[in-house]
């Protein structure tokens, strides 16, 4: 009954249109009142939820990504990607995916990836004979890489939701191979479509032009070196790398590329502060919600429920995947991570699943939800950028959904894809 009151009140508040963060907070207070838990205890948990130094990683990475997204990096990354794959049949779709790989490793945001790369690639692909709905579907699917590869904001949130069990550095390193695997599989599918449908191929870029393009894109690409190189070498922590990446992004955008005007900087900062505020309020209330769940012993109840379904580890993992895929279509990614991680992590830990591995499973599940109706935020952004109806994009996305599910199965049942590199790099 306790769990029904807590979860039921959350669903009712969401149904009445409450913002997710406040719905989580109010339901936490309702649950605490129901079990006679002092409200002061919930408030203490809420304040403790955001009183963490590692949380600085989120605003720094969000700001760095926003600066680079507005500073002309997207076009330079597209040109750089064209050098490697533009000459292949269906090359522009491959350029789209490779550019998303690079941009996701700078922004850490699927929405920023879709908006920036899509605004460049979708019109260009259409001009070269690709259907606009296909170009939009490629853009949206490619952006899912950003939730896996560093500096994924959602990996930072997952690390916090585990209560410090998993480090941000280990998640960043663990996401590299799954992100690259997803990108590679998307490219193979696009090559198949190109051969079947007769999509055009481009021309090779002359060496001198390629060198010029490389040096033009180098300054933006060096952000990836700062983030990954600094963390892996141990020169600085994930939080410190976020701050340095932010300073570097500002320097490159305002003094090297100079595509962004100084008089627009305050608008960008305001937009970033608004985004960060929403995230921080959500993290704070989710901490209170998680505390109430713990007092209700909800994680133990959920663990017993899953283990009663089957004693087979792989069957339970499939059930969890289906659960996450379904919930991911109904809510945004961050609140699901904050609410469900404390519930599901004990289940997977009892099965012998490494928490870092489970983080990658959760990221890809919920990343797929971002491009799935009815509440897929990235899907809506892609439709707006591509100027296509949601229905048209979803039809074009059907093969990509199947591919994402196949990659999810690989990541779920082959732990080494996520865990080999962190073990080799010594971050676990």
């Amino acid at each position: 009954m306790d769990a029904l009151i807590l979860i039921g009140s959350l669903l009712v508040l969401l149904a009445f249109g409450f913002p997710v963060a406040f719905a989580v907070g109010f339901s936490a207070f309702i649950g605490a009142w129901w079990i006679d838990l002092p409200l002061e205890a919930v408030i203490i948990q809420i304040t403790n939820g955001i009183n963490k130094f590692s949380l600085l990683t989120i605003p720094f990475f969000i700001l760095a990504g926003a600066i680079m997204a507005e500073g002309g990096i997207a076009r330079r990354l597209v040109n750089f990607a064209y050098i490697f794959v533009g000459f292949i049949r269906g090359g522009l779709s491959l350029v789209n995916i490779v550019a998303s790989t690079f941009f996701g490793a700078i922004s850490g945001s699927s929405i920023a990836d879709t908006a920036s790369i899509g605004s460049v690639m979708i019109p260009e692909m259409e001009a070269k004979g690709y259907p606009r709905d296909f170009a939009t579907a490629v853009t949206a699917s490619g952006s899912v890489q950003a939730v896996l590869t560093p500096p994924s904001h959602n990996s930072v949130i997952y690390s916090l939701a585990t209560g410090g069990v998993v480090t941000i550095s280990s998640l960043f390193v663990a996401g590299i191979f799954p992100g690259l695997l997803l990108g590679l599989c998307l490219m193979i599918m696009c090559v198949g479509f190109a051969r079947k449908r007769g999509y055009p191929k481009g021309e090779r870029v002359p060496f001198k032009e390629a060198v010029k393009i490389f040096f033009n894109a180098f300054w933006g690409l060096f952000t990836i070196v700062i983030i990954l190189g600094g963390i892996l070498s141990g020169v600085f922590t994930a939080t410190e790398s976020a701050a340095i990446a932010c300073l570097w992004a500002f320097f490159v955008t305002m003094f090297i590329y100079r595509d962004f005007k100084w008089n627009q900087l305050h608008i960008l900062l305001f937009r970033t502060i608004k985004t960060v505020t929403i995230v921080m309020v959500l993290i704070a209330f989710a901490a209170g919600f998680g505390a109430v769940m713990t007092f209700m012993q909800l994680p133990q109840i959920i663990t017993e429920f899953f283990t009663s379904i089957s004693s087979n580890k792989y069957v339970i993992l499939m059930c969890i995947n289906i659960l996450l895929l379904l919930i991911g279509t109904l809510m945004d990614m961050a609140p699901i991570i904050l609410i469900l991680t404390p519930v599901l992590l004990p289940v997977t830990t009892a099965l012998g699943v490494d928490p870092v591995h489970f983080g990658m499973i959760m990221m890809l599940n919920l990343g797929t939800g971002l491009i799935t109706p009815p509440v897929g935020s990235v899907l809506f952004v892609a439709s707006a950028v591509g100027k296509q109806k949601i229905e048209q994009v979803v039809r074009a996305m059907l093969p990509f959904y199947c591919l994402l599910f196949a990659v999810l199965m690989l990541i779920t049942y082959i732990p080494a894809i996520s865990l080999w590199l962190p073990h080799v790099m010594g971050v676990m």
Side-chain angles (χ1 to χ4, degrees):
M1 187 63 183
D2 293 345
L4 182 62
I5 294 295
L6 180 66
I7 304 300
S9 60
L10 173 63
L11 295 176
V12 168
L13 290 169
L14 290 173
F16 277 98
F18 271 67
V20 174
F22 293 106
V24 170
F26 283 133
S27 60
F29 284 117
I30 292 170
W33 168 78
W34 178 258
I35 62 174
D36 294 324
L37 179 68
L39 298 185
E40 292 85 352
V42 181
I43 294 172
I44 289 172
Q45 291 298 324
I46 289 173
T47 54
N48 287 342
I50 53 174
N51 188 24
K52 297 175 181 176
F53 180 77
S54 58
L55 273 175
L56 288 172
T57 307
I58 295 176
F60 281 134
F61 274 137
I62 289 177
L63 180 57
I67 291 172
M68 296 301 277
E70 298 285 348
I73 183 63
R75 165 53 68 182
R76 291 171 171 86
L77 290 178
V78 166
N79 292 338
F80 182 64
Y82 193 93
I83 297 172
F84 301 102
V85 293
F87 59 89
I88 302 172
R89 183 167 297 280
L92 281 184
S93 59
L94 307 185
V95 169
N96 193 325
I97 295 166
V98 174
S100 288
T101 305
F102 289 136
F103 195 87
I106 292 173
S107 70
S109 167
S110 292
I111 290 179
D113 190 330
T114 300
S116 300
I117 300 299
S119 62
V120 176
M121 287 304 306
I122 293 175
E124 189 165 336
M125 289 178 69
E126 184 183 34
K128 296 294 184 182
Y130 295 79
R132 198 172 185 90
D133 57 353
F134 174 76
T136 306
V138 171
T139 303
S141 302
S143 72
V144 177
Q145 296 173 93
V147 305
L148 293 167
T149 55
S152 167
H153 310 153
N154 292 290
S155 290
V156 176
I157 293 173
Y158 174 78
S159 173
L160 297 168
T162 65
V165 171
V166 181
T167 64
I168 297 173
S169 300
S170 63
L171 288 168
F172 278 5
V173 177
I176 294 174
F177 278 178
L180 292 177
L181 174 64
L182 175 58
L184 178 62
C185 291
L186 287 170
M187 291 172 70
I188 292 171
M189 173 177 275
C190 286
V191 169
F193 278 136
R195 292 183 181 278
K196 183 178 179 180
R197 300 174 182 177
Y199 292 150
K201 61 179 180 178
E203 299 177 356
R204 291 185 182 273
V205 178
F207 180 75
K208 288 185 178 180
E209 183 67 20
V211 172
K212 181 180 178 182
I213 291 171
F214 168 74
F215 281 108
N216 200 17
F218 169 79
W219 304 104
L221 289 169
F222 194 71
T223 311
I224 303 174
V225 178
I226 291 174
I227 295 168
L228 278 181
I231 293 173
L232 296 180
S233 65
V235 174
F236 36 70
T237 65
T239 305
E240 292 164 347
S241 75
I244 294 170
C246 192
L247 291 173
W248 176 256
F250 177 80
F251 172 73
V252 170
T253 298
M254 305 308 293
F255 295 100
I256 297 179
Y257 290 159
R258 292 183 292 183
D259 289 349
F260 192 73
K261 297 178 181 178
W262 284 90
N263 59 9
Q264 295 177 323
L265 187 59
H266 70 284
I267 301 174
L268 176 64
L269 290 172
F270 174 78
R271 214 164 49 227
T272 302
I273 291 170
K274 184 178 178 181
T275 301
V276 170
T277 302
I278 294 170
V279 173
M280 292 301 179
V281 169
L282 177 59
I283 290 172
F285 282 140
F289 189 90
V292 174
M293 284 197 301
T294 301
F295 278 107
M296 290 180 174
Q297 297 186 324
L298 194 55
Q300 294 92 319
I301 295 171
I302 298 295
T303 301
E304 291 172 4
F305 169 74
F306 274 107
T307 52
S308 68
I309 295 175
S310 172
S311 59
N312 189 309
K313 167 184 174 179
Y314 303 106
V315 172
I316 296 175
L317 281 174
M318 178 59 76
C319 292
I320 291 174
N321 275 324
I322 293 171
L323 174 68
L324 289 173
L325 285 170
L326 290 173
I327 295 177
T329 66
L330 301 174
M331 287 179 66
D332 205 5
M333 195 167 178
I336 299 176
I337 294 172
L338 290 166
I339 293 171
L340 289 187
T341 298
V343 173
L344 295 178
L345 192 60
V347 178
T348 57
T349 302
L351 295 172
V353 177
D354 190 282
V356 174
H357 178 209
F358 180 63
M360 294 302 104
I361 295 172
M362 180 172 268
M363 292 303 111
L364 186 51
N365 269 299
L366 302 183
T368 303
L370 294 176
I371 58 173
T372 309
V375 191
S377 54
V378 173
L379 179 63
F380 285 102
V381 171
S383 299
V385 173
K387 298 178 182 177
Q388 293 280 289
K389 293 181 179 179
I390 294 289
E391 299 82 12
Q392 293 174 299
V393 179
V394 170
R395 277 197 297 271
M397 287 284 299
L398 292 177
F400 294 93
Y401 291 138
C402 295
L403 177 69
L404 283 163
F405 185 76
V407 174
L408 174 62
M409 292 299 98
L410 290 174
I411 291 173
T412 299
Y413 296 118
I414 307 178
I417 296 174
S418 304
L419 301 180
W420 181 79
L421 190 58
H423 281 304
V424 170
M425 301 303 300
V427 293
M428 286 182 62

